[in-house]
Amino acid sequence: MSVLTVENLNFGYQNENLYNSLSFALQMSEHATLVGPNGSGKTTLMRLLCHDLSLDSGKIEWAKGISYAYLDQQLEVKGDMRIDEYLYGVYKDLFEREEKLNALYQEASLSNGDNQAKLLERAESIRESLEIDNFYNIEVEVNNVVNGLGLKEIDLSLPLSMISGGEKAKVYLAKLLLEKPDVLLMDEPTNFLDKYHIEWLEGYLNAFKGTFLIISHDDAFLKSISKVVYALENKNIVKYKGDYSYYLLERDSRHERAEKEYERQKEFIKKTKMFIEKNLTRASTTKRAQSRRKMLDKLTVIEKPKEEYKIHIRFPYSKDLGQQALVLDELVVGYDSPLLPPVSHILKKNERIELIGRNGVGKSTLVKTILSSIPPISGSFRINPSATINYFSQEEAFDESLTPVGYIREKYPDMKNEDVFKTLAPLGIKRDLAIKKMSELSGGERQRVRLSRMTLLKSNFLILDEPTNHLDKVSKEALHESIEDFPGSVIIVSHEKGFADDLVDYVISFKKGE
């Protein structure tokens, strides 16, 4: 049974069509992933499926009685709402039933005889319905999700406005899972999750009895959860009836076949046009020529398969560092209270390290302290005076009405137009994308715009905090290569399993209280 049917879907921004009459059906209990390169329209498709955007033509139809929830829909939340109120709001109907139950018990205690019996009978009916709906296990359910996603370290009485963007994303994901819809629609759910919480989410999804469709660029995560793959290819969707590993193998074969079919049809059209041109005016062959022209008019032309686009990232090097790039001496970091025990460490010149540990342990706070964005609680740190740091932050607040050109110019106002375009182009931000608003770009495209600005700074010290979020396979490979080629010192914070394994000299693992 199909829970969702999409037929002849067309949608575009301005004069650019994202899809060519796209059609597919999502089946009941299907554990599916939606893949495709940055900018292929994955997030837009998700927004269309949940009616957050209006399609240009075609049909999107959910089966009757099917409930669905989309992670991004949770973003429009009042900032002054407490986290626990937001999470327990999922059970509003059950709490209202409990209030009615208590009111009936109260009323029954003041009654007697037949009226009391009727009140108690109604109360018992409500109590049974609460038991069936697992009301008395709500706290256990909430704690399971809160602990699984690493929210137990957050004070749940805080308003949503008081926590970081990464923590908010985890709260929204927690609510989505607690809602238990028939269909889960998720866009990059592993962003802001460390490996422990990703493993928990993998287990949750693999045990999920319903249907899900998930966008992710995390290969290890996809291999763990995916049983069916929907791939956006050449403005259409292809269903691969196998897991993610099967998709990777089959995709290359399919692309090779598509190339051959395209070339065959191209040659056929060329020969047919030559025949028509040669024979249309001859009395003896004009009917044959006219017949072939009608055939060409009805022919569905195969679109040329897109070749995998190339991304090139180069972080320019400035000058040699001294023997010690960074010295931490009993450094204690945090805000109102310490997040980590005192840290002492010496990063030697040209060394590369990865910082790992659960979310909220203090990795990003340590980085921000080193960058003097927040003061240390105690202890000290020393950065080599000859160091020029090139920093990629996990989160960056910027004006989303800016174009990529405007984003570059914000820091480099005197750059010529042509030089700005030359900066963006190697990262796949061609002229059509370069003049769009940042709000109209995909998450991966925005990440590449941010990385492009880093390629303008000569440095000898890279600090990269979760640089792979939203990036597709091609972009991650290019980023990996750029870090590998960089001759200076490097600090990487990354939750993505395996990304930095062969890049760093050693790993520093942080645990609270250790």
Side-chain angles (χ1 to χ4, degrees):
M1 173 189 165
S2 298
V3 294
L4 170 69
T5 304
V6 178
E7 292 180 2
N8 300 317
L9 172 65
N10 289 292
F11 179 84
Y13 291 107
Q14 298 170 352
N15 297 321
E16 181 189 357
N17 288 325
L18 276 175
Y19 319 116
N20 282 341
S21 298
L22 184 150
S23 297
F24 69 98
L26 189 63
Q27 302 300 313
M28 178 76 80
S29 302
E30 214 164 50
H31 286 188
T33 51
L34 178 62
V35 302
N38 289 150
S40 59
K42 300 184 298 298
T43 296
T44 299
L45 179 57
M46 282 286 205
R47 294 182 66 194
L48 287 163
L49 296 182
C50 67
H51 306 296
D52 197 26
L53 289 173
S54 299
L55 61 161
D56 293 340
S57 63
K59 184 175 75 171
I60 295 173
E61 191 173 87
W62 287 93
K64 286 183 181 179
I66 291 294
S67 62
Y68 62 88
Y70 175 43
L71 186 59
D72 271 11
Q73 287 181 328
Q74 311 294 338
L75 297 176
E76 295 179 11
V77 179
K78 289 182 180 178
D80 58 356
M81 183 181 285
R82 284 169 47 139
I83 299 168
D84 51 6
E85 288 175 357
Y86 179 65
L87 294 177
Y88 280 95
V90 169
Y91 307 100
K92 182 182 177 183
D93 173 62
L94 298 182
F95 284 119
E96 286 175 352
R97 267 191 265 167
E98 185 197 32
E99 285 180 13
K100 192 172 182 180
L101 173 68
N102 292 334
L104 285 169
Y105 280 141
Q106 177 67 23
E107 191 177 347
S109 70
L110 302 174
S111 302
N112 52 52
D114 290 345
N115 187 45
Q116 184 183 62
K118 286 178 182 178
L119 290 169
L120 289 174
E121 187 178 339
R122 286 169 58 194
E124 179 61 15
S125 176
I126 293 174
R127 190 198 65 75
E128 285 179 0
S129 76
L130 286 171
E131 201 166 276
I132 289 168
D133 289 334
N134 211 26
F135 174 74
Y136 301 103
N137 203 37
I138 283 176
E139 191 172 350
V140 174
E141 285 189 351
V142 173
N143 285 339
N144 177 44
V145 173
V146 163
N147 293 338
L149 294 176
L151 292 168
K152 64 180 179 180
E153 304 294 340
I154 301 174
D155 180 357
L156 298 185
S157 67
L158 287 173
L160 285 160
S161 58
M162 292 292 290
I163 59 177
S164 71
E167 289 167 334
K168 277 197 191 86
K170 289 197 284 184
V171 171
Y172 301 147
L173 176 56
K175 185 174 186 241
L176 184 81
L177 299 181
L178 290 169
E179 285 174 341
K180 295 181 181 174
D182 298 316
V183 182
L184 294 170
L185 300 173
M186 298 185 187
D187 193 343
E188 299 285 6
T190 62
N191 283 355
F192 306 108
L193 296 183
D194 61 34
K195 69 174 186 176
Y196 309 102
H197 308 136
I198 291 173
E199 286 170 3
W200 179 87
L201 182 59
E202 288 171 352
Y204 182 97
L205 292 171
N206 284 324
F208 185 60
K209 302 298 184 186
T211 308
F212 63 67
L213 181 64
I214 296 177
I215 297 171
S216 178
H217 290 112
D218 186 328
D219 279 12
F221 178 66
L222 289 171
K223 285 175 181 176
S224 173
I225 65 162
S226 185
K227 301 297 182 287
V228 175
V229 176
Y230 290 90
L232 274 170
E233 301 173 357
N234 295 316
K235 300 186 178 182
N236 220 315
I237 202 156
V238 178
K239 183 176 182 177
Y240 292 83
K241 296 179 181 179
D243 61 17
Y244 187 69
S245 297
Y246 168 81
Y247 154 72
L248 292 175
L249 291 171
E250 186 63 20
R251 177 194 58 180
D252 294 338
S253 300
R254 187 183 285 265
H255 185 79
E256 191 177 328
R257 290 196 299 270
E259 283 277 7
K260 288 178 180 176
E261 286 172 17
Y262 169 77
E263 291 298 336
R264 274 198 298 267
Q265 189 189 68
K266 182 181 172 184
E267 185 63 25
F268 170 74
I269 292 171
K270 179 182 175 183
K271 287 181 178 178
T272 304
K273 284 181 176 179
M274 286 173 63
F275 178 87
I276 293 168
E277 191 177 323
K278 184 177 179 181
N279 294 281
L280 191 60
T281 56
R282 290 183 184 176
S284 60
T285 57
T286 185
K287 285 187 177 180
R288 288 168 60 198
Q290 287 172 343
S291 174
R292 294 198 186 187
R293 185 159 63 182
K294 286 179 183 177
M295 181 187 65
L296 273 190
D297 289 341
K298 293 178 181 178
L299 186 69
T300 301
V301 178
I302 298 171
E303 194 162 323
K304 180 176 172 59
K306 285 186 179 178
E307 293 185 10
E308 201 169 61
Y309 63 94
K310 305 293 183 186
I311 298 292
H312 179 69
I313 305 171
R314 179 181 172 273
F315 299 120
Y317 184 65
S318 55
K319 59 183 179 181
D320 192 37
L321 269 169
Q323 288 304 307
Q324 297 179 341
L326 173 68
V327 178
L328 309 180
D329 185 10
E330 295 292 300
L331 181 65
V332 177
V333 303
Y335 294 89
D336 296 329
S337 58
L339 282 172
L340 291 166
V343 180
S344 293
H345 185 76
I346 296 174
L347 178 68
K348 297 176 183 176
K349 79 166 185 175
N350 304 340
E351 273 188 337
R352 302 171 183 175
I353 63 169
E354 182 181 18
L355 308 183
I356 65 170
R358 290 180 181 271
N359 275 4
V361 75
K363 305 183 299 294
S364 294
T365 305
L366 176 62
V367 166
K368 289 174 183 176
T369 304
I370 292 167
L371 294 166
S372 298
S373 297
I374 57 175
I377 290 176
S378 63
S380 64
F381 66 92
R382 178 182 175 276
I383 298 172
N384 192 299
S386 64
T388 303
I389 295 175
N390 204 353
Y391 170 53
F392 185 91
S393 61
Q394 182 177 163
E395 300 174 59
E396 180 186 357
F398 54 80
D399 182 355
E400 295 214 346
S401 68
L402 283 173
T403 64
V405 171
Y407 175 80
I408 298 289
R409 278 246 176 76
E410 198 174 39
K411 194 164 184 179
Y412 299 94
D414 298 327
M415 275 188 77
K416 294 178 181 177
N417 261 353
E418 206 54 39
D419 291 333
V420 175
F421 286 120
K422 284 179 180 177
T423 299
L424 293 164
L427 284 95
I429 309 299
K430 306 296 184 181
R431 286 181 180 262
D432 56 334
L433 289 177
I435 57 175
K436 281 186 176 181
K437 291 179 181 177
M438 294 283 272
S439 59
E440 295 175 2
L441 301 184
S442 71
E445 287 166 342
R446 281 190 276 186
Q447 292 289 81
R448 286 190 269 127
V449 172
R450 291 180 60 204
L451 286 167
S452 72
R453 196 159 78 176
M454 290 183 67
T455 66
L456 293 169
L457 177 65
K458 285 187 175 182
S459 71
N460 47 19
F461 197 160
L462 291 178
I463 299 181
L464 306 167
D465 192 353
E466 301 291 2
T468 63
N469 281 353
H470 299 289
L471 293 183
D472 60 16
K473 183 173 179 288
V474 174
S475 303
K476 281 187 282 194
E477 286 174 354
L479 177 62
H480 186 283
E481 187 177 330
S482 68
I483 298 169
E484 194 171 40
D485 291 343
F486 185 72
S489 299
V490 181
I491 295 176
I492 301 173
V493 180
S494 177
H495 71 267
E496 183 151 345
K497 197 183 296 182
F499 176 75
D501 287 356
D502 59 347
L503 285 176
V504 298
D505 298 304
Y506 54 92
V507 172
I508 298 178
S509 178
F510 291 116
K511 295 180 182 178
K512 286 194 174 184
E514 294 183 17

